[in-house]
Amino acid sequence: MTHADESTAATTIPAEHRADVETLWEYHNMHHELRPCDVGIGLGSHDLGVAIVATDLYHRGLYPLLVFTGANAPTTIERFPQGEAVHYAEYAIEHGVPADAVLVEPEATNTQQNFELTRKLLDGRGVAVRSAIVMSRPYQQRRAYATAKKLWLDVDILCASNPLDLDDYVRSIGDVNKVIGMLVGDTQRIWVYAENGFAIPQDVPTQVEEAYERLVESGYVSRLL
């Protein structure tokens, strides 16, 4: 196999799993219609697409203030050695977002902390938040929404991600197994986190449960709790 063939294989969804992967991908997309909000919140991760869409939405006038939140995880420390939020903020400022419109919350290590520490930061600056656009990896939208609504009952939450289709997203990450594993793991977290009181419950259609189970049986378990 040539290097090109290896690269293609690493970013090609196996045909036998495509329907199930697409089912989970579609489930996690909240399909929110965006409108102007008080603040944009970019959740740190390995995916620079969060900073890209956050920057784009700022330039489109959808919020006057942008917060990036996130420290590091084992999957991000090599790519973002100064911390996820710091690198996201650098990207936004380098691409035209005024420095005084960007806040950095550099300590959160999970989604719950993203929202708790972001709210603490905003409260400390006297920023009243009635509405927010939360930007995350595409497959994190539903979990981010459920977590935010558990912690910020009084805030109108909209979700957004860098608008790539599934295949383009896999190519942007460069590792199809990682993406499928993340999709499976985030699906499990929808009900586990609700059961543990970390998030509001979300409806999980039968076809989503079945797709999840088949992918687990096929060995995509790297991100399971």
Side-chain angles (χ1 to χ4, degrees), residues 115-137:
F115 291 112
E116 290 174 339
L117 296 178
T118 294
R119 184 150 211 178
K120 182 179 179 181
L121 175 65
L122 293 169
D123 286 347
R125 291 176 173 261
V127 178
V129 179
R130 298 172 301 275
S131 58
I133 297 177
V134 174
M135 290 147 291
S136 68
R137 297 163 291 184

Side-chain angles (χ1 to χ4, degrees), residues 148-222:
K149 292 303 291 183
K150 179 72 176 183
L151 297 169
W152 286 9
L153 293 176
D154 55 335
V155 175
D156 184 21
I157 300 293
L158 301 175
C159 293
S161 299
N162 199 24
L164 298 179
D165 67 23
L166 174 57
D167 291 296
D168 286 340
Y169 184 77
V170 172
R171 282 190 288 269
S172 77
I173 299 301
D175 185 342
V176 66
N177 291 329
K178 181 177 184 176
V179 172
I180 298 175
M182 290 284 193
L183 271 168
V184 171
D186 261 60
T187 303
Q188 181 197 40
R189 284 162 174 77
I190 293 298
W191 57 80
V192 171
Y193 284 5
E195 291 167 359
N196 290 334
F198 301 148
I200 63 169
Q202 296 283 283
D203 179 55
V204 183
T206 300
Q207 64 266 33
V208 171
E209 291 183 3
E210 293 174 346
Y212 164 83
E213 290 169 0
R214 284 190 293 266
L215 289 169
V216 169
E217 290 170 0
S218 297
Y220 293 103
V221 297
S222 62

Side-chain angles (χ1 to χ4, degrees), residues 33-93:
E33 184 174 341
L34 301 183
R35 57 185 179 275
C37 288
D38 296 322
V39 65
I41 301 171
L43 305 185
S45 71
H46 63 271
D47 182 1
L48 187 63
V50 175
I52 293 171
V53 68
T55 299
D56 176 61
L57 295 184
Y58 175 86
H59 288 307
R60 287 166 53 187
L62 286 174
Y63 38 74
L65 182 65
L66 176 55
V67 181
F68 290 114
T69 168
N72 270 125
T75 56
T76 65
I77 194 165
E78 185 173 327
R79 185 175 190 189
F80 300 134
Q82 297 180 69
E84 299 154 3
V86 171
H87 283 273
Y88 282 7
E90 289 177 348
Y91 176 92
I93 293 167

